[in-house]
């Protein structure tokens, strides 16, 4: 402990990066206190279940154009994986000391410069950190907070101006979610878009099948969860993940607390966002995997309440009673065009990055 205390005193530019984990209010409150005391910048992905008002949520957008003033001296991580590719690349390309907090088990070197594994539970370490850590370098702290604040302030207007698309409709869905319960997010664009917009709350648990990040099993995980709780269980999913795991609903049990939001762009739209596949002539046939299904036949087969929306007015109407209690599960399908989704996301990202560059 004495050695750790001495090492910690050397640093005034610290990032705390919680990875995917179950909600823990004690840890969450410690992170809130540490951020309020100006001892560390706390960066939270949606799946960390640690997001709150004073954490950095929009790093995936502004880290593309980061300044040297934002480079930390020390990264302290705990939990499992993070979503943000921009954050991973930023922390890998700078030679930054990295401590990982984990009481036992194997530790992957996510940022490729792991210096120290501290065998404590995160709560104990954060208690220690709160007492012993320095105040942050003011320029370092202000640069991170200003970048996040710019995105937070400008994003709502950009979404208002955007056409009907997955990102715009997801923003409306996230604002309509119950204030408590369990939110299951499928991989691919679903989890990336949720992370882009930011999601969190003290009474919400956010769940996603990460690891190898495949689309399989998202429905099954959500269905299994409904058997463990009477709280609302909401699945946010794309069409490929949803139809791939349709047999998750093939059983004799009713799921009255299950709500599914299905974003259907008729294929694997994420590949339009990735530089490599998006430039290949084989994109449409081999990467995007176009399909013509919708959710109506599945809803009829498994006795789900079903509604399809193709405009913001229809979405607004559909969400009014969607999360109310019912005897059967509910499926709300949002039909969006893949190319519009791609162009909208690119337009919003570029506008936000430009705003941050000017600042």
């Amino acid at each position: 402990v004495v050695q750790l205390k001495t090492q910690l005193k050397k640093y005034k530019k610290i990032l705390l990066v919680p990875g995917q984990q179950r909600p823990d209010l004690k840890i969450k409150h410690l992170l809130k206190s540490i951020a309020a005391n100006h001892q560390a910048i706390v960066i939270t992905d949606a799946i960390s279940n640690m997001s709150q008002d004073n954490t950095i949520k929009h790093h995936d957008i502004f880290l593309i154009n980061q300044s040297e003033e934002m480079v930390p001296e020390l990264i302290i991580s705990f939990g499992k994986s993070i979503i943000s590719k921009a954050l991973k690349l930023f922390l890998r390309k700078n030679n930054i000391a990295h401590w990982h907090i984990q009481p036992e088990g194997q530790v992957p070197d996510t940022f490729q410069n792991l210096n120290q594994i501290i065998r404590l539970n995160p709560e104990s370490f954060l208690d220690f950190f709160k007492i012993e850590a320095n105040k942050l370098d003011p320029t370092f702290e202000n640069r991170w907070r200003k970048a996040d604040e710019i995105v937070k302030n400008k994003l709502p207007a950009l979404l208002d101006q955007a056409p009907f698309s997955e990102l715009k409709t997801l923003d409306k869905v996230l604002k309509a979610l119950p204030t408590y319960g369990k939110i299951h997010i499928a991989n691919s664009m679903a989890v990336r878009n949720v992370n882009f917009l930011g999601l969190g709350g003290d009474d919400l648990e956010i769940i996603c099948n990460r690891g190898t990040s495949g689309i399989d099993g998202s429905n099954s995980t959500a269905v299994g969860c409904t058997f463990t709780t009477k709280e609302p269980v909401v699945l946010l999913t794309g069409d490929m993940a949803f139809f791939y795991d349709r047999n998750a609903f093939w059983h004799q049990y009713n799921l009255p607390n299950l709500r599914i939001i299905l974003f259907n762009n008729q294929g694997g739209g994420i590949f339009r966002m990735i530089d490599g596949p998006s430039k290949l002539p084989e994109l449409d046939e081999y990467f995007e995997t176009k399909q013509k299904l919708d959710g109506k036949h599945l809803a009829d087969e498994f006795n789900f309440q079903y509604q399809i929306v193709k405009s913001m007015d229809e979405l607004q109407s559909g969400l009014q009673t969607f999360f109310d209690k019912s005897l059967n599960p509910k499926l709300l399908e949002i039909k969006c065009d893949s190319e519009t989704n791609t162009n909208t996301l690119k337009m919003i990202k570029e506008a936000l990055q430009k705003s941050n560059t000017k600042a």
Side-chain angles (χ1 to χ4, degrees), residues 294-337:
D294 62 38
K296 185 177 188 311
H297 294 298
L298 183 145
D300 290 343
E301 184 178 355
F302 296 117
N303 202 25
F304 287 16
Q305 292 184 31
Y306 173 78
Q307 184 173 354
I308 189 167
V309 301
K310 298 180 181 179
S311 70
M312 292 306 295
D313 286 342
E314 289 179 355
L315 178 63
Q316 188 73 37
S317 174
L319 287 173
Q320 286 180 1
T321 58
F322 183 71
F323 296 107
D324 292 352
K325 289 185 177 181
S326 63
L327 295 176
N328 297 315
K330 295 182 185 181
L331 170 60
L332 181 69
E333 181 169 11
I334 300 172
K335 290 291 285 287
C336 296
D337 175 68

Side-chain angles (χ1 to χ4, degrees), residues 146-176:
K146 185 177 181 182
D148 201 60
E149 197 69 21
I150 287 170
V151 176
K152 180 183 175 183
N153 291 338
K154 293 188 175 294
L155 185 55
L158 289 168
L159 287 167
D160 282 344
Q161 298 162 15
F164 184 76
S165 56
E166 284 183 355
L167 201 64
K168 185 182 180 81
T169 55
L170 175 63
D171 180 63
K172 187 68 70 176
V173 168
L174 296 185
K175 289 172 179 171

Side-chain angles (χ1 to χ4, degrees), residues 85-323:
K85 185 176 182 180
L87 178 59
K88 290 175 190 173
L89 292 175
F90 170 65
L91 296 179
R92 284 170 184 168
K93 77 176 183 179
N94 296 290
N95 188 28
I96 306 162
H98 176 201
W99 299 355
H100 186 78
I101 316 304
Q102 186 171 307
E104 59 186 6
Q106 186 178 356
V107 177
D109 190 2
T110 303
F111 309 125
Q112 300 173 357
N113 197 34
L114 184 60
N115 303 96
Q116 193 165 176
I117 299 170
I118 299 172
R119 294 298 187 181
L120 291 171
N121 66 61
E123 185 183 340
S124 298
F125 176 83
L126 293 173
D127 272 325
F128 161 81
F129 183 93
K130 184 179 171 184
I131 295 168
E132 302 296 343
N134 294 317
K135 297 287 185 185
L136 285 171
D137 175 280
T139 303
F140 172 77
E141 181 179 25
N142 291 339
R143 188 66 189 88
W144 275 93
R145 296 211 173 279
K146 185 177 181 182
D148 201 60
E149 197 69 21
I150 287 170
V151 176
K152 180 183 175 183
N153 291 338
K154 293 188 175 294
L155 185 55
L158 289 168
L159 287 167
D160 282 344
Q161 298 162 15
F164 184 76
S165 56
E166 284 183 355
L167 201 64
K168 185 182 180 81
T169 55
L170 175 63
D171 180 63
K172 187 68 70 176
V173 168
L174 296 185
K175 289 172 179 171
L177 287 175
T179 56
Y180 68 100
K182 301 181 188 298
I183 312 300
H184 286 254
I185 312 172
N187 278 309
S188 204
M189 284 313 298
V191 72
R192 284 168 177 80
N193 282 341
V194 169
N195 202 50
F196 186 97
L197 295 171
L199 174 64
D202 285 351
D203 295 318
L204 285 178
E205 179 175 0
I206 300 165
I207 302 164
C208 183
N209 295 348
R210 295 303 287 169
T212 55
S213 304
I215 60 170
D216 47 315
S218 301
N219 297 352
S220 297
T221 306
V223 167
C225 184
T226 62
F227 300 140
T228 70
T229 180
K230 293 183 179 179
E231 293 182 340
V233 175
V234 182
L235 172 62
L236 306 174
T237 180
D239 51 288
M240 298 302 290
F242 181 74
F243 293 117
Y244 186 88
D245 193 26
R246 72 187 308 279
N247 281 351
F249 310 114
W250 192 14
H251 52 74
Q252 70 269 37
Y253 303 104
N254 194 22
L255 311 168
N257 55 335
L258 179 64
R259 301 290 180 270
I260 301 170
I261 305 283
L262 168 59
F263 296 91
N264 192 347
N265 59 24
Q266 312 291 174
I270 189 171
F271 293 107
R272 291 185 177 271
M273 318 282 187
I274 302 172
D275 286 342
S278 66
K279 294 179 171 63
L280 294 175
E282 299 88 355
L283 171 65
D284 286 352
E285 184 174 0
Y286 294 115
F287 284 90
E288 193 167 26
T289 316
K290 289 187 178 295
Q291 56 81 25
K292 298 180 180 180
L293 300 173
D294 62 38
K296 185 177 188 311
H297 294 298
L298 183 145
D300 290 343
E301 184 178 355
F302 296 117
N303 202 25
F304 287 16
Q305 292 184 31
Y306 173 78
Q307 184 173 354
I308 189 167
V309 301
K310 298 180 181 179
S311 70
M312 292 306 295
D313 286 342
E314 289 179 355
L315 178 63
Q316 188 73 37
S317 174
L319 287 173
Q320 286 180 1
T321 58
F322 183 71
F323 296 107

